[in-house]
Amino acid sequence: MKTGLVTFYEIHHYGAALQAAATQRAVKEFGHQCEIVDYFVAQDNRLFQKPTGVGSAAHDVHTALHYAPLKRRYERFEAFKSSHLHISQHRYESFAELQDAKLPYDVILSGSDQIWNPKIFPDRHFDPVFFGAFSDCRKIAYAPSFGIPKIPEEMEEELRNYLSNFSHISTRESQGQEIVEQITGQKVPVVLDPTLLLNRQQWAEMASKGHPAGGYILCYCISKPGALEPYIQKVSQATGLPVVQLCGIRRKVSPQAKQVLDAGPGEFLSLFQNASYVLTNSFHGTVFATQFQKPFFTTVSPAEMAAPERSRIFSLLERLGLANRIIGKGDTAAWDAPIDWDAVEQRLLAHRSESLRYLQAALNNTAYIPEEAEQPTEKPLPKLASANACTGCTACASGCPVSAITMVRDQEGFDQPVIDGEQCVRCGHCTAICPALHQRSSSHIPAAFAAWHPDDTIRKDSTSGGVFTALAEYVLESGGVVYGAAMDGHQHLRHIACFRKEDLWQLRGAKYVQSHLNGIYREVRKALESRMVLFSGTPCQVDGLYAYLGSRPENLITCDIVCHGVPSPAVWEAMAASIEQRKRKGLRAVRFRNKVEGWKNSHFTTVYDDGTVDTAPLFATEYGRAFGRSLFLRRSCHQCRYTNLSRPGDFTLGDLWGMQPDELPEEQKKGVSLLLVNTEHGSHIFDQLALTRQPYPVERAVMGNPRLASPIAPAADRTAFFAAFAVQPFEQVRKAFFRMPSLPVRMAGKVLSPEMKAKIRKKLQ
C-alpha cells in the first residue's frame, strides 16, 4: 500500500523536519510505502528576507554578519531532506493542481504538526490540502494539531465536512481531542508526537558526529527565554558548565552563551544527545531532552500557563510523570532534583506502543480498540481542585474526617492541599465540599450603599469608611466573636478570633497578602454552637467556610471584600525580611494603606522596633508597585469565580472608588466604604448597624471597582518572577522585578487608555 503524507516538512524548522522523518519511518516499518506529497505552502527558507521594515532589515544585517554559519545551516537542512525524507518528484503549487493530478496513493495520511491550525495560513483559514480533500481515496490522521483552543464559529461547519471524510482520526493534544469531539461528537485518541515513535537509538543513528560528550548546558529557545533565564543562570553558576545556545531565536539567552548558528537537524540531534542539561521553551526541545534522558526544564507560553492541562507540553509530560519539569506551575522540581528515567522510560514505552497500535490500525483500515488500562488495586485518591483553580480556602483540609489533608506551601509560597495516601479513607468528602469543583448559583443583585463609621478616629484607622468596625462592634455587643486577618509579630498574616472591641484594631485595614486559615473553620463551627460569629475574609474564604459548614447558620454573619487578588505570603515575608535587612532594624508593624495624606493617596507605612517610621505613597514603593501590577497573586485570582455581583457573603466591603469630586467632598477626604448588602440576613443586620449611609447605584459601584466585573489579568512577567523567586536570592529578584519602570513606560501608563494597554499586553504575550 502506498501512503501519501501531507505535513509540514519544507520549512527549515527542526521540529517540522524531524516529525516528518519520524512519521515516514514509522509507516515504513509497518511494511507500507510512504511518500511526502511535495505541496508548497509559501514557506520561505531564504537567508535574506523580503524588505518589510525595521525587523526584516535587522534580520538581514544579522544574516550578513553571520552569513557563513547560516549558509551551512541551510545546506544541512537540505542535505537532511535528501538523506532522510522520501518526497514526491513533482511539486504541487495549489489545491487545484493536486485535484487534477493522477496521484498514486491508496491512502492520504494527514501528519503531525499544526497542519490544522487555520491561523498560520495566509488567509487565516483551513488549508484543505492538509485534510486530504484533493483526493477521493481513504484518509487517516496521525497527531495533527489545531494549535488554538477553539475553532471560530464560522469555520465549524467547514471543519465538520473535512473530518467526516476520515476513517481514522487522532490528535496530538487533549485540546485537539476536545475540538474534534465538539465538532463531530466522536472521542478520538490522543497519540504521541511522531518524534516519540522512534527510540533514542534510532535518533542517534540520524545524529551528526563531532560534538563532544557532555560538559555543556544546552539552551534551545524558539521565543524569548523569559522564565528560563533564572534557571540558565542558576544551573550555569552551580555547575560551572558553559552555556551552548542552539539558535531557534537569534538573540542571546545569556551573555556567556556560545551560539550555534549552523546546526541542521542532524546537528540538532547531536547537541541534545551530548548535553549535560537542557533548558528549552520548545515542544520538540522538550521531546528530545526526554528522548536522550537529559536533566531538563521547560516553559509554556503565558496563554498556555492559564490552563496548562491543555498545553501540548503539559499533555506530554504529565503522561510521562514529568510535569514538575515545567517552570511556573508552583510544583516545579528543585533545579538539581534527579529524574527517575527508568519510570519515565516505562511510561514512554507504553504510550509509544499504544500510539503505534493506533497507526497500524489506521493504515490497515481496522478498528482501533485502545488497550484497557490496568485497574488500580485500591480506590484512587479523591479529586482536589487543580493548582490553577485552588484558592487555598482549606475547606477540604478542615472537613477531612481523618485529617488526611494538610496545607503545604508550593514553590510560589501559597498553601495547596496535599493528601496523605496512607491515611486517606477515600470517602470523597473533600471533593464534595470543594467550592472550586462545583458551579456557584447566582443570587439577586445586591443593594449598594456609600457608608462610613460615625467615629472619625475609627474611620481614620480604617482603610476606607470603617464599616467593618461597625459590623464587628454589633457582633461583639451581642456577645459574639469576630474572625478576621491580623499580622503577628513575625509579619505572618493569619485569621484570629477577636472577643473585645479594644482588639479590633488588629483586624482593621487592608493587608496585601493571603491570610493563613489553618484550623479557623473548625474554630468557627465550635463557636457557632454557643454564640454569634462574624467571619470576614476574601470571597473564596467565605465560600469555603459555607462549604465546610454545609449550611448557613442563622447566628453566622459573613463579610467578603472586593478583592484585587491575594499576594504570595512567601513573597511578602521575603520582602519584610529584606526591609529589615536594609534598614538594620526589626519591623514592628506595617500599614499597607495608611491615610496619612487622606484616603485617595494611601501610604505604605512601616514602623520599626526603635519607634522610627517610614511612609510613602503605596504605588511609589517597591511592594506596592509589584502588587498593583499583579506580579505575585495566586493563580486562581486570574480566573476568579467571585469577580461579579453574586457574592457569597452577607455583606461585601470595598472602597467606593469612582465618585465625582462634588459627591460627598468632605467625606471623600476621610474615606468612604462601598457596602453591598447581598442577603436577607444581611439586610436585617444592616438596619441595626450604627452607620452613616446613603444608597448608591450598583452600576456605578461596579464601574469604580472593576473586580466586581472581571478578574485581573496576570502580569506578563509573572512566571518569570516566580521562576527567579524559586532559584535566586530575593535581593536579586527584588532589584530585577520591583524597580521603577522606565520614564517612557511611566508616561505611557498615564496617557494610554485601559483598552490600549490591554492590546499592548496581548501583543507582548
Side-chain angles (χ1 to χ4, degrees):
M1 186 178 75
K2 190 165 187 178
T3 302
L5 172 61
V6 285
T7 189
F8 295 153
Y9 72 94
E10 172 68 14
I11 193 72
H12 286 184
H13 289 169
Y14 300 112
L18 295 170
Q19 67 83 22
T23 305
Q24 199 168 62
R25 181 161 178 171
V27 171
K28 288 179 178 178
E29 290 193 356
F30 285 123
H32 303 287
Q33 297 178 58
C34 186
E35 179 177 273
I36 294 173
V37 179
D38 192 357
Y39 171 60
F40 182 70
V41 285
Q43 296 162 329
D44 190 354
N45 295 321
R46 290 178 300 180
L47 294 180
F48 292 99
Q49 295 183 343
K50 291 180 180 179
T52 56
V54 175
S56 64
H59 176 278
D60 287 352
V61 168
H62 184 274
T63 298
L65 292 172
H66 302 279
Y67 181 76
L70 291 171
K71 182 71 163 55
R72 283 196 299 275
R73 180 184 188 273
Y74 180 94
E75 292 167 347
R76 285 167 170 172
F77 264 93
E78 293 300 307
F80 185 87
K81 275 198 309 183
S82 299
S83 300
H84 297 286
L85 301 182
H86 178 49
I87 304 168
S88 65
Q89 291 185 353
H90 181 73
R91 165 163 285 192
Y92 301 93
E93 302 284 344
S94 68
F95 175 75
E97 188 181 358
L98 276 163
Q99 271 188 313
D100 294 339
K102 293 182 179 179
L103 299 170
Y105 308 123
D106 302 299
V107 64
I108 300 297
L109 169 58
S110 292
S112 186
D113 222 327
Q114 295 187 33
I115 57 171
W116 289 357
N117 182 350
K119 292 190 175 182
I120 65 176
F121 298 106
D123 62 355
R124 313 282 285 176
H125 233 267
F126 294 119
D127 187 330
V129 169
F130 293 104
F131 292 90
F134 55 84
S135 172
D136 292 331
C137 65
R138 192 167 63 86
K139 300 168 185 67
I140 62 178
Y142 184 85
S145 173
F146 291 96
I148 53 176
K150 191 176 187 302
I151 299 301
E153 193 173 332
E154 65 275 13
M155 296 186 193
E156 288 183 358
E157 186 60 31
E158 179 186 4
L159 178 59
R160 187 174 292 110
N161 290 334
Y162 287 145
L163 296 180
S164 66
N165 294 316
F166 281 79
S167 67
H168 294 73
I169 302 174
S170 63
T171 64
R172 190 175 65 180
E173 301 97 32
S174 57
Q175 180 173 269
Q177 182 188 50
E178 291 170 15
I179 289 173
V180 173
E181 185 172 11
Q182 176 195 345
I183 297 295
T184 68
Q186 177 185 2
K187 188 154 188 177
V188 300
V190 176
V191 294
L192 291 178
D193 184 85
T195 52
L196 287 159
L197 295 181
L198 308 188
N199 59 43
R200 62 180 171 276
Q201 288 78 23
Q202 291 170 309
W203 284 120
E205 292 169 9
M206 296 189 218
S208 299
K209 311 306 176 189
H211 288 282
Y216 59 89
I217 301 160
L218 179 64
C219 294
Y220 176 52
C221 295
I222 57 172
S223 59
K224 292 179 180 178
L228 279 174
E229 287 193 61
Y231 278 76
I232 295 170
Q233 293 176 26
K234 178 65 178 180
V235 177
S236 177
Q237 291 168 1
T239 64
L241 295 173
V243 176
V244 172
Q245 179 184 351
L246 173 60
C247 290
I249 54 171
R250 297 194 181 186
R251 61 157 283 189
K252 275 197 169 190
V253 298
S254 167
Q256 293 78 37
K258 175 189 175 184
Q259 290 184 298
V260 177
L261 294 168
D262 61 355
E267 290 73 25
F268 173 98
L269 293 170
S270 179
L271 284 164
F272 276 87
Q273 182 184 18
N274 295 304
S276 297
Y277 295 85
V278 172
L279 296 164
T280 183
N281 57 19
S282 153
F283 172 74
H284 284 107
T286 304
V287 164
F288 284 100
T290 304
Q291 283 278 38
F292 289 117
Q293 298 192 346
K294 302 300 176 181
F296 75 96
F297 286 97
T298 187
T299 63
V300 299
S301 70
E304 290 177 302
M305 188 54 71
E309 64 280 359
R310 297 170 68 89
S311 155
R312 58 180 178 160
I313 290 179
F314 180 88
S315 180
L316 168 65
L317 295 185
E318 184 183 42
R319 283 186 280 173
L320 299 182
L322 290 170
N324 66 350
R325 310 306 288 193
I326 300 174
I327 295 169
K329 284 178 46 269
D331 62 350
T332 309
W335 77 267
D336 56 350
I339 295 174
D340 184 351
W341 286 115
D342 288 340
V344 172
E345 186 71 9
Q346 286 182 9
R347 295 187 185 100
L348 178 55
L349 287 172
H351 288 296
R352 180 181 292 148
S353 173
E354 195 62 21
S355 294
L356 288 170
R357 283 184 66 252
Y358 164 81
L359 180 59
Q360 185 176 32
L363 290 167
N364 294 338
N365 199 20
T366 59
Y368 166 68
I369 303 172
E371 279 191 354
E372 289 189 16
E374 286 187 26
Q375 294 300 315
T377 55
E378 62 176 339
K379 193 175 179 181
L381 291 173
K383 178 183 178 182
L384 297 180
S386 69
N388 263 26
C390 176
T391 65
C393 73
T394 76
C396 57
S398 301
C400 179
V402 294
S403 299
I405 302 176
T406 53
M407 302 300 292
V408 178
R409 275 194 179 181
D410 66 13
Q411 199 178 60
E412 294 180 353
F414 294 103
D415 283 349
Q416 299 281 2
V418 175
I419 300 175
D420 182 334
E422 294 185 4
Q423 198 170 347
C424 177
V425 294
R426 275 75 170 170
C427 67
H429 183 63
C430 53
T431 302
I433 66 173
C434 172
L437 294 177
H438 301 89
Q439 290 291 329
R440 296 189 63 237
S441 58
S442 59
S443 60
H444 66 280
I445 300 298
F449 298 88
W452 57 90
H453 199 287
D455 187 328
D456 282 351
T457 303
I458 289 174
R459 193 171 170 190
K460 185 177 181 181
D461 194 43
S462 304
T463 298
S464 50
V467 171
F468 165 75
T469 299
L471 185 56
E473 288 173 334
Y474 168 81
V475 171
L476 294 177
E477 287 168 1
S478 304
V481 57
V482 178
Y483 287 89
M487 283 285 187
D488 66 13
H490 303 287
Q491 296 307 311
H492 300 151
L493 186 68
R494 58 189 73 240
H495 264 60
I496 64 168
C498 184
F499 296 90
R500 304 187 311 153
K501 289 184 182 181
E502 294 82 1
D503 297 329
L504 284 175
W505 64 270
Q506 298 177 82
L507 309 185
R508 281 197 287 264
K511 290 104 175 173
Y512 294 143
V513 60
Q514 184 166 31
S515 65
H516 192 58
L517 284 173
N518 191 30
I520 289 297
Y521 287 173
R522 291 175 181 174
E523 278 191 43
V524 169
R525 169 171 273 169
K526 184 69 176 175
L528 285 167
E529 294 175 2
S530 58
R531 61 176 76 204
M532 183 184 294
V533 171
L534 168 64
F535 180 87
S536 173
T538 59
C540 51
Q541 290 174 334
V542 172
D543 205 21
L545 174 62
Y546 281 127
Y548 164 74
L549 294 173
S551 64
R552 287 180 169 249
E554 281 297 313
N555 59 333
L556 173 63
I557 303 169
T558 56
C559 174
D560 66 55
I561 59 173
V562 181
C563 181
H564 174 82
V566 290
S568 162
V571 172
W572 163 246
E573 289 159 16
M575 188 66 193
S578 172
I579 293 171
E580 291 181 326
Q581 181 181 0
R582 283 177 282 139
K583 298 297 291 188
R584 297 184 180 178
K585 45 190 165 185
L587 274 173
R588 181 191 301 170
V590 175
R591 297 290 300 274
F592 290 88
R593 284 185 54 199
N594 190 3
K595 293 191 287 194
V596 292
E597 290 187 3
W599 172 45
K600 290 198 171 180
N601 189 25
S602 297
H603 274 223
F604 180 86
T605 301
T606 48
V607 182
Y608 302 98
D609 288 342
D610 62 3
T612 57
V613 176
D614 284 336
T615 190
L618 173 64
F619 296 114
T621 66
E622 292 182 331
Y623 191 78
R625 283 196 304 271
F627 167 70
R629 67 187 189 89
S630 310
L631 182 63
F632 40 64
L633 304 185
R634 193 178 184 109
R635 276 167 287 161
S636 59
C637 296
H638 302 300
Q639 50 187 25
C640 179
R641 297 147 36 96
Y642 307 97
T643 48
N644 48 53
L645 292 174
S646 178
R647 314 296 297 183
D650 295 310
F651 300 97
T652 295
L653 288 178
D655 293 82
L656 192 57
W657 302 119
M659 287 190 292
Q660 299 300 316
D662 59 349
E663 290 183 277
L664 305 171
E666 291 302 315
E667 307 305 335
Q668 284 197 50
K669 294 177 184 177
K670 299 176 184 178
V672 180
S673 293
L674 168 64
L675 173 60
L676 302 181
V677 182
N678 305 313
T679 64
E680 290 186 13
H681 185 47
S683 182
H684 172 71
I685 303 298
F686 174 68
D687 292 336
Q688 304 175 60
L689 297 179
L691 281 176
T692 306
R693 83 286 300 270
Q694 66 178 47
Y696 197 81
V698 172
E699 313 81 52
R700 288 193 57 204
V702 174
M703 288 177 62
N705 290 271
R707 299 293 75 77
L708 288 173
S710 61
I712 193 160
D717 53 350
R718 181 192 186 278
T719 301
F721 167 78
F722 276 114
F725 185 67
V727 297
Q728 293 178 344
F730 182 73
E731 287 306 295
Q732 184 177 342
V733 177
R734 178 183 66 80
K735 291 173 183 176
F737 290 90
F738 291 8
R739 63 181 182 273
M740 181 74 76
S742 64
L743 181 60
V745 172
R746 298 203 303 274
M747 292 176 64
K750 293 181 179 180
V751 173
L752 296 176
S753 67
E755 294 78 15
M756 184 58 69
K757 290 177 185 176
K759 287 181 180 178
I760 292 171
R761 268 191 227 103
K762 190 173 181 181
K763 284 283 185 186
L764 291 174
Q765 291 177 0

